[in-house]
Amino acid sequence: MAANTEAFSGGFSNPVFESQSVFRMVMDGMARPGTIRTVEQDAGQPDPLGSAAGAIALTLCDHDTPVWLSAGFSQSAVAEWIGFHSGAPITREKAEARFAFKEASSALSSFGLFSAGTQEYPDRSTTLVIEVEALGEGQELTLAGPGILHSTTAKVAGLPETFLRLWADNRTLFPRGIDVILTAGRHFLCLPRTTRING
Amino acid sequence: MTADLATYNFAYLDEQTKRMIRRAILKAIAIPGYQVPFASREMPMPYGWGTGGVQVTASIIGPEDVLKVIDQGADDTTNAVSIRAFFQKVADVAVTTHTKDATIIQTRHRIPEQKLTEGQILVYQVPIPEPLRFLEPRETETRKMHALEEYGLMHVKLYEDIAINGRISKTYAYPVKVDGRYVMDPSPTPKFDNPKMHMSDALQLFGAGREKRIYAVPPHTQVVSLDFEDYPFEIQKFEQDCALCGAHGVYLDEVVLDDKGGRMFVCSDTDHCEDRREHGHVGAMLATDREAAE
């Protein structure tokens, strides 16, 4: 029963203003890919969900957004926590998911099963939130594209090794494609589908 | 206490609506120039009064923001005053008329003369978001044209303009291509403002309430006005300077003064004009007025 009480605890203490503040960070992050943002708000999320990922779930998910969870999350209290606080249905079908959350150091074999939207409606695509070990240290990535003046660099530790290849494939689908938010504890950075990455 | 019982949620919209609009904004930023459909709500003002822009602003605004609202460049016209008052009432935010002090600028059909900066967000009120709508009325068809990047019809339209008028006669809502992919309607801003959208430091968000579309141009993104090699895109040029502040190279409004052909040209951006006058710049008509008073 311990898992149940975990699922009911937490949440924003002031949902209106905290979700506004987290959203502005995500919006700024999407508009300026690669910049690292820090979430100060406490989402009270259960392990192993990180606090940035938890805050993003509370800010953006609701009954209109089916959520897919990787194995480590779906076997923990995370599924019930997201369901209880946001009302989002948990789905096992990647293609149905508007948001997907993936825990750190789990394998990433393909983006292919997530929805990339259609050529007519490329907005109907999954936003994938991937937990990594750390942001601001580790492998240096060079980023370019809309929102970035010339180019910028971002350091990511614990990026799944398949990520860069999958991302290059994702780029070729444009305007279809998934969008990614990398999270590490309280920190996150956004990679909209327009961003070109050189490892 | 009774006064507190029936208050609106912060920034008028309910939280579920804000989440829906916020998700649309994020996808709009990820696909620059693509129009994201959203479930536009009925607002306490009629369509055509900027309900799209108001919903976008309401979904992004927070207590720390400073809001500026302009209507054709002016802070003091009906639309601007009423939207500013709306947000003062429902979100209790600080407002300003100074471009440089604002964090969010909601605009109807102008981009401020002063260059926007990194921290600022420009929210456009858009009447008809679809640039191809007057060429092809069917949504199913225009959607397919965007999907296939089939913009030949728009170039034919511009070509016909040249064949009939000797130049591209479109002076406002002049179509642009965003990041080399989507053709976008910049809303009915004068084409004078198009170059300001290109590689802007500020995030630009567009909301069309009646047509239920949100689209965006991220900062540092290419926005190119459509043209031909032999008929390149040109912005309006004014022979006169502003009659009040003497500014040159800004967008001017013509004001009719009497029924004997008297008229003056003044800055459309009222804040820019006031700021220049405060700094001692004097236009031709202001100078004559002062001399007459002395």
Side-chain angles (χ1 to χ4, degrees), chain A residues 29-30 33-34 108-112 114-116 125-130 139 141-146 148 156 159-182 189-199, chain B residues 26-27 29-31:
Chain A
M30 278 289 175
L108 181 65
S109 55
S110 164
F111 291 152
F114 292 113
S115 173
S125 65
T126 309
T127 302
L128 179 55
V129 182
I130 304 175
Q139 188 182 0
L141 307 174
T142 305
L143 313 179
I148 301 167
V156 182
L159 195 66
E161 57 186 55
T162 50
F163 184 84
L164 292 182
R165 184 174 52 78
L166 297 178
W167 188 257
D169 293 347
N170 189 52
R171 277 286 309 140
T172 61
L173 297 176
F174 192 83
R176 295 182 298 133
I178 61 155
D179 305 304
V180 166
I181 303 175
L182 298 178
L189 69 78
C190 298
L191 297 172
R193 68 193 75 176
T194 47
T195 303
R196 298 182 295 278
I197 307 178
N198 283 310
Chain B
L26 294 182
K27 288 298 176 192
I29 294 170
I31 319 164

Side-chain angles (χ1 to χ4, degrees), chain B:
Chain B
M1 272 308 286
T2 46
D4 293 343
L5 281 177
T7 52
Y8 289 108
N9 187 30
F10 176 76
Y12 185 77
L13 295 174
D14 60 278
E15 289 302 299
Q16 199 276 328
T17 298
K18 286 186 199 168
R19 271 194 300 275
M20 175 268 297
I21 293 173
R22 286 168 181 170
R23 291 192 295 259
I25 291 171
L26 294 182
K27 288 298 176 192
I29 294 170
I31 319 164
Y34 165 75
Q35 303 161 49
V36 182
F38 81 110
S40 178
R41 298 295 193 245
E42 198 158 325
M43 298 301 284
M45 58 194 76
Y47 286 141
W49 275 67
T51 53
V54 166
Q55 289 179 77
V56 169
T57 301
S59 303
I60 66 174
I61 203 165
E64 275 108 60
D65 279 309
V66 181
L67 179 69
K68 171 183 164 82
V69 186
I70 51 174
D71 172 7
Q72 306 275 11
D75 292 279
D76 53 3
T77 48
T78 315
N79 195 228
V81 170
S82 57
I83 291 173
R84 197 162 58 230
F86 174 75
F87 280 109
Q88 278 179 297
K89 184 173 181 178
V90 300
D92 195 26
V93 291
V95 296
T96 183
T97 58
H98 300 302
T99 302
K100 63 178 188 317
D101 298 336
T103 56
I104 299 174
I105 302 171
Q106 182 169 328
T107 175
R108 176 176 173 272
H109 315 346
R110 267 317 304 283
I111 300 174
E113 301 293 352
Q114 188 173 353
K115 193 174 183 298
L116 300 180
T117 57
E118 283 279 330
Q120 295 181 309
I121 301 163
L122 189 57
V123 178
Y124 296 75
Q125 302 169 197
V126 182
I128 308 283
E130 179 50 72
L132 305 166
R133 182 61 68 233
F134 291 111
L135 307 173
E136 170 51 67
R138 288 168 296 181
E139 169 67 14
T140 47
E141 291 303 305
T142 53
R143 191 158 283 281
K144 195 163 282 171
M145 289 155 78
H146 283 295
L148 301 174
E149 207 177 345
E150 175 49 70
Y151 296 125
L153 199 58
M154 181 60 89
H155 281 103
V156 170
K157 158 80 176 75
L158 297 179
Y159 167 75
E160 283 180 348
D161 248 23
I162 295 169
I164 295 166
N165 305 308
R167 63 190 168 84
I168 297 173
S169 61
K170 201 136 180 70
T171 54
Y172 66 95
Y174 191 104
V176 294
K177 198 166 207 181
V178 182
D179 194 36
R181 176 57 176 83
Y182 281 98
V183 166
M184 184 188 92
D185 184 336
S187 86
T189 50
K191 66 177 180 176
F192 181 87
D193 286 337
N194 277 19
K196 295 179 195 165
M197 307 180 90
H198 177 64
M199 301 302 274
S200 169
D201 289 340
L203 169 63
Q204 302 173 78
L205 301 175
F206 300 76
R210 181 185 49 217
E211 303 292 321
K212 301 175 175 56
R213 296 290 185 273
I214 286 171
Y215 52 107
V217 176
H220 314 303
T221 300
Q222 290 200 2
V223 179
V224 179
S225 304
L226 299 182
D227 62 0
F228 298 99
E229 271 175 26
D230 48 348
Y231 285 86
F233 172 76
E234 280 175 346
I235 60 171
Q236 290 102 334
K237 290 193 178 64
F238 297 89
E239 286 167 16
Q240 301 84 349
D241 296 340
C242 171
L244 296 179
C245 77
H248 187 72
V250 296
Y251 195 75
L252 300 176
D253 285 339
E254 181 180 358
V255 180
V256 175
L257 297 174
D258 51 36
D259 58 1
K260 301 181 188 69
R263 55 189 191 153
M264 68 191 287
F265 288 87
V266 291
C267 286
S268 131
D269 185 337
T270 52
D271 171 57
H272 183 75
C273 197
E274 280 163 19
D275 188 59
R276 279 179 56 85
R277 275 179 277 155
E278 270 170 31
H279 286 83
H281 297 279
V282 179
M285 289 186 93
L286 201 62
T288 10
D289 275 3
R290 281 190 188 165
E291 279 161 22
E294 282 163 12

Side-chain angles (χ1 to χ4, degrees), chain A residues 1-192:
Chain A
M1 290 308 285
N4 274 336
T5 51
E6 249 189 303
F8 302 141
S9 64
F12 287 141
S13 53
N14 192 338
V16 172
F17 296 107
E18 287 179 316
S19 58
Q20 187 274 335
S21 166
V22 172
F23 165 70
R24 275 289 278 275
M25 274 191 273
V26 178
M27 183 177 82
D28 263 3
M30 278 289 175
R32 294 176 174 83
T35 51
I36 297 170
R37 316 271 153 176
T38 303
V39 176
E40 303 296 345
Q41 287 73 12
D42 195 5
Q45 75 291 338
D47 288 336
L49 194 64
S51 51
I56 288 167
L58 293 184
T59 300
L60 293 173
C61 297
D62 58 28
H63 57 264
D64 282 339
T65 61
V67 168
W68 178 88
L69 298 172
S70 60
F73 286 150
S74 57
Q75 286 156 16
S76 68
V78 172
E80 281 184 298
W81 183 81
I82 289 180
F84 177 74
H85 287 285
S86 74
I90 305 296
T91 177
R92 298 172 77 176
E93 292 297 325
K94 287 180 175 178
E96 280 177 12
R98 294 292 305 276
F99 290 90
F101 293 84
K102 200 182 101 37
E103 83 259 23
S105 62
S106 60
L108 181 65
S109 55
S110 164
F111 291 152
L113 293 175
F114 292 113
S115 173
T118 63
Q119 200 71 12
E120 279 82 9
Y121 292 94
D123 57 303
R124 295 177 182 176
S125 65
T126 309
T127 302
L128 179 55
V129 182
I130 304 175
E131 185 82 12
V132 296
E133 279 164 35
L135 297 171
E137 53 188 274
Q139 188 182 0
E140 186 170 286
L141 307 174
T142 305
L143 313 179
I148 301 167
L149 186 62
H150 311 306
S151 73
T152 184
T153 57
K155 287 183 176 172
V156 182
L159 195 66
E161 57 186 55
T162 50
F163 184 84
L164 292 182
R165 184 174 52 78
L166 297 178
W167 188 257
D169 293 347
N170 189 52
R171 277 286 309 140
T172 61
L173 297 176
F174 192 83
R176 295 182 298 133
I178 61 155
D179 305 304
V180 166
I181 303 175
L182 298 178
T183 57
R186 293 197 165 278
H187 311 288
F188 72 90
L189 69 78
C190 298
L191 297 172

